[in-house]
Amino acid sequence: MEVTTRCNLVCTFCSHSSLEKDQKGNMDLDVYRSVIAEGERYGTPATNLNGLGEPMLVRQLPEMLAYAKERGFVDVMFHTNGTIMTEGHARALIESNLDKIIFSVDSPDKATYEQMRIRGKYDRVLSHVRLFAAMREAMGRSTPLIRTTMVVTDKTVHQVPDFVKLWKPLADQITLQDLTWRSKALDTGEWSNSEQSAVPADMDEIRQKSIEHKVSFVCPYLYQSSYTFWNADVIPCSNPNARTHMVMGQIGPRTMHQVWHGKTYRDIRGLHASGKWYEHPVCRDCEVPLIELYKALDKRGVTFESARPDPESAAPRVAEELTPQDDTATDLVTQYKRQLVWPENVAKPVDAVAPRSA
């Protein structure tokens, strides 16, 4: 749930700077409540009040978090850059019964952090995380869980051990995230990411190698989650090109349930289920499948002509956010079809049918 697209930082790896004026705003509370209420109706377990903006800029954030908890969501969370936090903020967030707060810090090194998160003050962010933890302890609470996360780039990959060392005494969870989204198509040209991935091989070569070795990819985002933008557009993922080129539908004219089971969603799921994810113009250049395919190919011993040496390690360090712990990744389609069961007292939309078998 993208509660806002407004942000107080200019990060070198974020496409926020490419947004036009009319693409910035806060989510209407009626839209928010309608999606959350529908989530309650169908037993949706989790919501993340996050998008391309900074949620702490939304004054009603604690009330919005509390509303989701009151509606039965098991896991309510949001990401924040941590630049805004007072004792009052911390208390209100904790009292909302928020389950998880995720601080995006990205580097354990002050100079690196401030080069990547322009306008961000490293020492202030660290003090805000500690303030929040101290307030949670003072209130005698064990939740919300505190997670710190790092976007791994080619220039920060060697900082991972120091990042873990820095946050292990304080954070309940520490996560790494691969840098994704190299570019975004604009009417006036193209936005290009100022940072580079830690994955050592060329993305185009990874795609070609995956086709040659018949290693396919089914995107979990198509089956496990969706994004509702502040303007009520629904897209399947956070790819910056999806904002204008992958709109699945809009809340208001349609319900989330109708969008989720609609033809646009079914068509793109069909491509992935048939192993032809690369035929979709946005998915083809998406780093999520390419990075995951690199991991799979690397484990098979496939070599890449474009691979650059890693000065810090014999093996490249990449995040494991989407990597399955077993062989169930290709079962996403089957699992989804088995879950297409409607409660007896809920009317089934006309277009809500299972995707065609591949």
Side-chain angles (χ1 to χ4, degrees):
M1 302 286 288
E2 185 181 64
V3 295
T4 187
T5 47
R6 296 183 299 119
C7 192
N8 58 345
L9 297 186
V10 182
C11 299
T12 56
F13 52 86
C14 179
S15 64
H16 184 273
S17 60
S18 69
L19 294 180
E20 300 292 337
K21 186 177 180 179
D22 62 359
Q23 292 180 305
K24 297 178 182 179
N26 292 348
M27 177 175 284
D28 184 270
L29 286 177
D30 288 339
V31 171
Y32 176 79
R33 293 190 187 103
S34 71
V35 176
I36 292 296
E38 194 175 357
E40 178 187 27
R41 180 181 184 184
Y42 290 101
T44 305
T47 184
N48 187 342
L49 275 60
N50 200 77
L52 208 53
E54 169 51 51
M56 288 292 291
L57 293 174
V58 179
R59 185 176 300 176
Q60 300 92 342
L61 181 64
E63 289 78 13
M64 298 172 84
L65 294 164
Y67 184 80
K69 288 303 296 180
E70 291 164 3
R71 291 289 183 164
F73 279 73
V74 177
D75 196 8
V76 177
M77 70 195 88
F78 74 96
H79 288 69
T80 175
N81 58 37
T83 58
I84 302 169
M85 188 65 69
T86 64
E87 289 188 4
H89 288 133
R91 180 177 294 277
L93 291 172
I94 295 168
E95 289 178 344
S96 75
N97 292 319
L98 169 73
D99 294 292
K100 191 181 301 162
I101 183 169
I102 305 159
F103 291 96
S104 299
V105 189
D106 297 318
S107 174
D109 176 68
K110 175 182 172 70
T112 304
Y113 170 88
E114 294 184 356
Q115 287 170 4
M116 294 176 66
R117 289 190 171 264
I118 300 168
R119 298 179 188 164
K121 302 298 180 184
Y122 180 77
D123 294 334
R124 182 182 298 171
V125 170
L126 263 61
S127 70
H128 287 172
V129 180
R130 290 170 180 145
L131 182 155
F132 188 87
M135 178 60 72
R136 186 183 68 173
E137 182 177 359
M139 294 174 67
R141 303 282 287 268
S142 59
T143 56
L145 296 179
I146 297 172
R147 177 193 293 181
T148 52
T149 187
M150 174 182 182
V151 173
V152 179
T153 71
D154 62 341
K155 69 182 182 185
T156 64
V157 63
H158 66 282
Q159 297 177 351
V160 169
D162 288 338
F163 186 83
V164 174
K165 182 179 179 180
L166 171 66
W167 292 112
K168 194 170 183 179
L170 182 62
D172 301 298
Q173 300 173 335
I174 301 170
T175 57
L176 309 177
Q177 178 183 346
D178 290 308
L179 176 76
T180 52
W181 324 139
R182 287 174 293 171
S183 63
K184 174 184 176 182
L186 302 171
D187 292 338
T188 56
E190 184 179 83
W191 169 82
S192 296
N193 202 318
S194 298
E195 305 296 337
Q196 298 295 318
S197 171
V199 175
D202 177 78
M203 296 295 178
D204 293 325
E205 186 183 5
I206 295 171
R207 185 195 308 107
Q208 188 58 40
K209 290 280 188 180
S210 70
I211 296 172
E212 290 174 6
H213 290 267
K214 295 182 171 55
V215 179
S216 193
F217 175 82
V218 176
C219 186
Y221 293 130
L222 297 175
Y223 299 90
Q224 297 174 348
S225 62
S226 66
Y227 282 62
T228 306
F229 281 151
W230 73 279
N231 66 350
D233 282 349
V234 178
I235 65 168
C237 62
S238 58
N239 188 313
N241 290 294
R243 189 173 291 267
T244 52
H245 300 292
M246 289 182 76
V247 177
M248 301 288 107
Q250 188 176 59
I251 304 302
R254 307 178 74 193
T255 65
M256 174 62 80
H257 190 279
Q258 290 170 328
V259 172
W260 180 257
H261 295 286
K263 184 179 184 302
T264 309
Y265 249 124
R266 296 202 309 273
D267 286 348
I268 190 172
R269 287 185 186 120
L271 271 182
H272 280 246
S274 64
K276 298 180 180 179
W277 60 273
Y278 50 83
E279 290 188 4
H280 191 285
V282 174
C283 298
R284 175 181 173 80
D285 291 320
C286 176
E287 284 82 355
V288 170
L290 294 172
I291 290 172
E292 295 303 316
L293 287 165
Y294 168 78
K295 296 173 188 176
L297 291 165
D298 183 61
K299 288 178 180 178
R300 290 190 178 195
V302 175
T303 58
F304 297 86
E305 294 180 8
S306 61
R308 58 182 183 272
D310 183 346
E312 301 294 331
S313 171
R317 186 190 303 273
V318 289
E320 296 293 323
E321 184 181 19
L322 291 178
T323 302
Q325 299 304 310
D326 50 39
D327 295 326
T328 62
T330 54
D331 292 333
L332 277 170
V333 179
T334 302
Q335 291 174 22
Y336 177 71
K337 289 179 180 179
R338 288 174 179 171
Q339 292 167 5
L340 287 179
V341 179
W342 280 261
E344 292 182 2
N345 62 337
V346 176
K348 187 174 181 180
V350 174
D351 63 355
V353 298
R356 296 188 185 94
S357 298

